[in-house]
Amino acid sequence: MEAGNHTGVSLFLLLGLSEDPELQPFLFGLFLSMYLVTVLGNLLIILTVSSDSHLHTPMYFFIANLSFVDICFVSTTVPKMLMNIQAQSKDISYVGCLTQVYFFVVFAGMDNFLLAVMAYDRFVAICHPLHYMVIMNARLCVLLVLMCWFVLFWVALVHLLLLMQLTFCIGTEIPHFSCELDQILKVACSDTLINDICLYVATGLLCMLPLTGIVFSYSQIVSTLMKMASTEGKYKAFSTCGSHLSVVSLFYGTILGVHLTSTVTHSPQRRSIASVMYTVVTPMLNPFIYSLRNKDVKGALGRLLS
């Protein structure tokens, strides 16, 4: 392939999930259905929370924000994938690819941060119930969300600026259905040492810090529940964490699955299929988890739909 710097590369080639022509209509129908379910489900959660005064609490404020982020997250990659399948094309422009990378980092990081903030909310609610509304006031909730956005906008911008310094070969093929940062670094024609270091540091901060916060919050919650004398009180307190724990397990479990798949197998196609779990399936399932496992949301949905 002819080498050239980033100014000479106008597009990349996304290899997608499969090159089998007979499989493309099935993939198009499957991902279009999943995308529509994800968008409509999360929009319904946002509408339910915003329209029902009973849900105007910190916990549901964060759930609505998570739903918004999930819509944005899945919209970063799936529409382009559907367009390529429909047009029987693999092309993505250089600018379009960098745009995907930027927003992918932002929204994936926001999922991590919001799950940690929601764990802190449950920690305050169960461990400090008398001071809950004082601590988790509206100003703090908005500030926490804005801080997450601010940090991630800058982290993603650093990655983007470093990525723009790399050179690529004309006709570069990306063995994935979207432009993920680690996949772009693998196909670069120039030295990616600084980018790799930045990626590892950012991954450690954006994944391990929120995960540590979640583990600490739930360790304190379990410790508080163990001190409760009433079994009914324990169940009632912990039941408010059920939906959040399910989402956390699904999100981090799928990410762990992707990394294990990458370690065990060197097949790009299998890694791409594993990536579908946390980029598409998780955002699709979150509304179902929060609606099916939460009596307040089910009640509000009933009132909204009736």
Side-chain angles (χ1 to χ4, degrees), residues 94 98-107 109 148-166 181 194-195 198-199 202 206:
Y94 174 79
L98 294 192
T99 303
Q100 268 198 0
V101 170
Y102 180 83
F103 286 110
F104 190 94
V105 172
V106 170
F107 297 129
C148 294
W149 282 114
F150 179 79
V151 170
L152 286 161
F153 277 143
W154 282 103
V155 169
L157 184 60
V158 170
H159 282 305
L160 186 65
L161 293 175
L162 288 174
L163 202 55
M164 292 173 67
Q165 306 307 310
L166 299 179
L181 181 57
I194 296 176
N195 301 74
C198 187
L199 176 61
L206 299 183

Side-chain angles (χ1 to χ4, degrees), residues 56-291:
H56 292 175
T57 63
M59 181 173 74
Y60 295 109
F61 171 74
F62 295 130
I63 288 175
N65 274 273
L66 182 66
S67 291
F68 172 73
V69 169
D70 282 342
I71 292 173
C72 297
F73 190 24
V74 76
S75 297
T76 301
T77 56
V78 175
K80 178 59 180 173
M81 178 186 179
L82 293 174
M83 287 172 60
N84 280 5
I85 294 175
Q86 182 68 17
Q88 297 182 352
S89 169
K90 298 179 182 179
D91 297 353
I92 183 169
S93 67
Y94 174 79
V95 173
C97 191
L98 294 192
T99 303
Q100 268 198 0
V101 170
Y102 180 83
F103 286 110
F104 190 94
V105 172
V106 170
F107 297 129
M110 276 302 296
D111 266 341
N112 273 291
F113 278 20
L114 282 175
L115 289 175
V117 170
M118 291 165 75
Y120 174 70
D121 172 73
R122 293 298 83 209
F123 158 71
V124 176
I126 294 174
C127 299
H128 306 282
L130 298 179
H131 304 288
Y132 176 66
M133 294 310 297
V134 176
I135 297 174
M136 299 302 295
N137 57 73
R139 183 179 177 182
L140 178 64
C141 293
V142 173
L143 184 62
L144 286 171
V145 173
L146 289 178
M147 283 177 60
C148 294
W149 282 114
F150 179 79
V151 170
L152 286 161
F153 277 143
W154 282 103
V155 169
L157 184 60
V158 170
H159 282 305
L160 186 65
L161 293 175
L162 288 174
L163 202 55
M164 292 173 67
Q165 306 307 310
L166 299 179
T167 58
F168 296 93
C169 298
I170 294 174
T172 295
E173 296 180 342
I174 301 172
H176 210 270
F177 63 88
S178 66
C179 292
E180 287 192 18
L181 181 57
D182 60 331
Q183 296 299 309
I184 301 296
L185 296 181
K186 289 177 182 178
V187 298
C189 296
S190 56
D191 183 41
T192 61
L193 177 61
I194 296 176
N195 301 74
D196 290 333
I197 292 172
C198 187
L199 176 61
Y200 291 137
V201 171
T203 302
L205 292 176
L206 299 183
C207 287
M208 295 313 298
L209 280 181
L211 185 58
T212 302
I214 292 170
V215 171
F216 173 78
S217 295
Y218 276 103
S219 67
Q220 296 300 305
I221 288 171
V222 171
S223 177
T224 300
L225 293 179
M226 294 297 289
K227 297 174 184 176
M228 289 184 179
S230 168
T231 304
E232 184 181 350
K234 290 180 182 179
Y235 175 77
K236 187 177 180 181
F238 198 73
S239 64
T240 63
C241 305
S243 299
H244 180 256
L245 274 175
S246 299
V247 172
V248 168
S249 302
L250 182 64
F251 183 75
Y252 286 103
T254 51
I255 291 178
L256 180 62
V258 170
H259 287 289
L260 289 177
T261 303
S262 302
T263 304
V264 173
T265 178
H266 296 288
S267 170
Q269 189 177 33
R270 290 186 179 180
R271 189 195 184 283
S272 296
I273 294 172
S275 296
V276 170
M277 291 301 296
Y278 77 90
T279 56
V280 183
V281 176
T282 299
M284 181 183 70
L285 293 180
N286 284 352
F288 293 99
I289 293 172
Y290 280 115
S291 60

